[in-house]
Amino acid sequence: MGVAVAVYSSRFKYIFFANPQTASKAIAKTLQKSLDGHAMPDWDLRRDGDLQIKKHHATWQDLQDAGLMTREQLDELFKFTSVRNPYDLLVSRYLKRKGRFINEPKKYRWAQENPKIKASMDAAQEQPFAEWVAGQLHRHKEKGSTIKGPLEYLDHADYVIRFEALQAGFDEVLKRLGVNDPIPIVAENVTSERKEGAKKRHYTEFYDDASRELVGRVYAPIIERFGYKFG
């Protein structure tokens, strides 16, 4: 139950799409624990030996392409997801690759076995954040393109919970589902690596002017849609 998946409930008629690193694991775990949520799918779906859909972070289109749900079935559900300020999200991603993914290899074996993530982890050990993020986004910089991945979750949602107002957003979901009793979101996968002593470093401390401009351009569709700002 500790992984982030699409979570479905026939009883409450919702489906939650787990947008990576937006508290999606905490939300998924809460839904599974308290709101009759079930993983969709609850396995890695393979056909003829090829991976068709991963249970981690399945999207609206993934479920249709795999024949697990039809467009008509999805249209009848309340669809929601979550979003996070990209400037903050990238710092969290960097620290996890630099810290726990390396320090707890058995727990994060999936990261060790993913060549792209492993390369990102290796780079994080050697590079300060500004240099690391420039390397992660260099293809987008060269092509002048923007990030599309998060839009696979956001574009098909009836409601989006903001990471920065997590419980308030989840309370609104409960209201729309007709659930009157309060349900607190469980604590899950919190980034502890940002602390220096007793002080938690703000994400703005990791950026220089070039990296801030790069992230602002590459993530412009999300930043503009949700009114995010640096700082």
Side-chain angles (χ1 to χ4, degrees):
M1 194 180 290
V3 298
V5 296
V7 180
Y8 164 69
S9 173
S10 59
R11 176 185 173 190
F12 290 100
K13 297 188 182 305
Y14 71 74
I15 190 161
F16 169 69
F17 296 111
N19 185 12
Q21 287 189 269
T22 61
S24 56
K25 289 184 179 179
I27 296 170
K29 190 170 183 178
T30 304
L31 294 170
Q32 291 171 308
K33 178 181 178 181
S34 302
L35 277 176
D36 194 43
H38 301 276
M40 173 65 76
D42 59 0
W43 68 93
D44 286 343
L45 181 63
R46 296 179 184 273
R47 289 177 179 161
D48 298 325
D50 294 329
L51 183 64
Q52 299 293 311
I53 176 173
K54 293 184 68 175
K55 67 179 182 178
H56 295 12
H57 308 292
T59 69
W60 180 86
Q61 192 61 53
D62 286 337
L63 296 179
Q64 294 177 75
D65 291 345
L68 295 174
M69 299 190 87
T70 66
R71 172 68 182 272
E72 290 72 25
Q73 288 173 316
L74 286 165
D75 285 345
E76 293 176 354
L77 301 174
F78 175 65
K79 298 171 288 294
F80 65 105
T81 189
S82 47
V83 71
R84 183 176 187 173
N85 187 330
Y87 295 109
D88 184 40
L89 182 149
L90 287 167
V91 170
S92 176
R93 181 176 297 168
Y94 169 74
L95 292 175
K96 287 177 180 177
R97 280 154 172 71
K98 188 178 179 66
R100 72 181 72 173
F101 284 6
I102 292 291
N103 298 332
E104 303 177 66
K106 292 183 179 179
K107 184 176 181 181
Y108 297 100
R109 185 173 297 169
W110 59 269
Q112 304 282 342
E113 295 174 351
N114 184 307
K116 185 176 180 180
I117 295 178
K118 184 64 167 61
S120 177
M121 290 161 54
D122 292 342
Q125 307 314 303
E126 305 294 334
Q127 299 172 341
F129 172 77
E131 185 178 339
W132 174 85
V133 81
Q136 298 300 299
L137 302 180
H138 74 278
R139 291 184 180 178
H140 295 284
K141 181 178 181 180
E142 291 175 356
K143 296 179 180 180
S145 60
T146 57
I147 288 287
K148 299 293 192 299
L151 300 179
E152 296 178 357
Y153 304 91
L154 299 169
D155 283 350
H156 303 290
D158 301 311
Y159 182 74
V160 178
I161 298 173
R162 290 176 179 261
F163 176 90
E164 301 78 19
L166 191 60
Q167 188 63 55
F170 192 71
D171 290 345
E172 178 62 24
V173 168
L174 296 178
K175 179 180 177 181
R176 297 195 185 199
L177 294 176
V179 177
N180 297 320
D181 295 333
I183 298 176
I185 293 179
V186 301
E188 180 77 12
N189 203 31
V190 177
T191 305
S192 59
E193 290 88 350
R194 194 177 300 182
K195 289 186 178 181
E196 284 191 349
K199 181 183 178 183
K200 181 177 180 180
R201 297 176 66 190
H202 195 267
Y203 70 80
T204 55
E205 297 180 35
F206 291 81
Y207 283 86
D208 59 15
D209 290 343
S211 58
R212 180 179 63 194
E213 187 279 332
L214 176 61
V215 172
R217 184 175 59 75
V218 172
Y219 281 85
I222 297 168
I223 291 170
E224 293 170 4
R225 182 187 300 192
F226 293 95
Y228 282 126
K229 298 181 184 302
F230 184 79

